[in-house]
Amino acid sequence: MVADIPGGDSGIGLGPQLVRSWLGYRRRVEERLIAGGFTEKRLPHGPLLRLCARDDEMTVSRIGRELEISRQGASKQVTELCAQGYLTLEKSSGDGREKFVRPTPSALAFLRSFDQARREVDEEIRAQLGSAALDALTALFTLLAEPGEARVDVWREARARATLLGLGDQ
């Protein structure tokens, strides 16, 4: 089934429409996570959990460098995720001052649920729009992306430009 998309100019600029779309997509994913038992008011910091899940030698300092935030900012996020039961700290056998940041089984379950929720939302959208419309959207997103920047960390870029989005502008 192909969705009925209204024609004409809605009067809203493309940028705000893209932001609104992203917020709606995120809401759908979060609803699935909540239905799957992840009911925390503030969901875990996914990029930080992914860093810790991919490398056994992850430290707070390295998290700060990878996410391009201060060591203090990384430490605060790690502390919050430890309190939520998503991370643990383990002393390094080589350097008593350094601690390794490890994901817990809850963190790994969250990441699996998050990936599953995204796949479900993507499939729901594909079923509603049809493959041709989704391919057209993908072409639009590719056109809007900065050339040669296919490997840009989109979350880092979004944080850096958050104040420039002008969510209220139309």
Side-chain angles (χ1 to χ4, degrees), residues 137-155:
L137 281 173
T138 300
L140 170 65
F141 300 149
T142 301
L143 178 70
L144 291 173
E146 294 185 32
E149 298 294 330
R151 307 253 340 142
V152 164
D153 180 337
V154 294
W155 310 119

Side-chain angles (χ1 to χ4, degrees), residues 6 118 132 139 147 169:
R118 283 190 3 215
D169 297 344

Side-chain angles (χ1 to χ4, degrees), residues 33-152:
L33 287 168
I34 290 167
F38 293 96
T39 57
E40 294 89 358
K41 196 168 196 164
R42 183 170 178 234
L43 291 171
H45 190 290
L48 192 153
L49 291 180
R50 286 190 193 287
L51 278 175
C52 296
R54 82 168 194 229
D55 190 340
D56 284 342
E57 301 287 314
M58 192 57 64
T59 63
V60 173
S61 297
R62 188 158 162 225
I63 289 168
R65 285 191 303 273
E66 294 271 343
L67 296 178
E68 293 185 357
I69 59 176
S70 69
R71 187 189 186 293
Q72 292 80 9
S75 181
K76 181 180 178 192
Q77 289 183 23
V78 167
T79 299
E80 289 174 7
L81 290 171
C82 284
Q84 289 179 309
Y86 289 105
L87 296 175
T88 61
L89 294 173
E90 181 182 307
K91 287 189 177 186
S92 166
S93 59
D95 181 354
R97 297 173 298 164
E98 196 63 77
K99 294 179 182 170
F100 293 122
V101 184
R102 309 261 194 242
T104 65
S106 295
L108 300 175
F110 171 79
L111 291 172
R112 283 190 299 273
S113 293
F114 183 80
D115 290 343
Q116 178 64 33
R118 283 190 3 215
R119 283 191 298 274
E120 289 173 7
V121 170
D122 290 355
E123 286 306 313
E124 179 182 288
I125 292 169
R126 182 175 294 284
Q128 290 174 347
L129 283 181
S131 291
L134 198 56
D135 290 346
L137 281 173
T138 300
L140 170 65
F141 300 149
T142 301
L143 178 70
L144 291 173
E146 294 185 32
E149 298 294 330
R151 307 253 340 142
V152 164

Side-chain angles (χ1 to χ4, degrees), residues 17-28:
Q17 288 181 60
L18 290 170
V19 171
R20 211 168 302 164
S21 298
W22 166 243
L23 294 173
Y25 180 88
R26 183 177 172 156
R27 179 188 43 79
R28 288 180 180 198

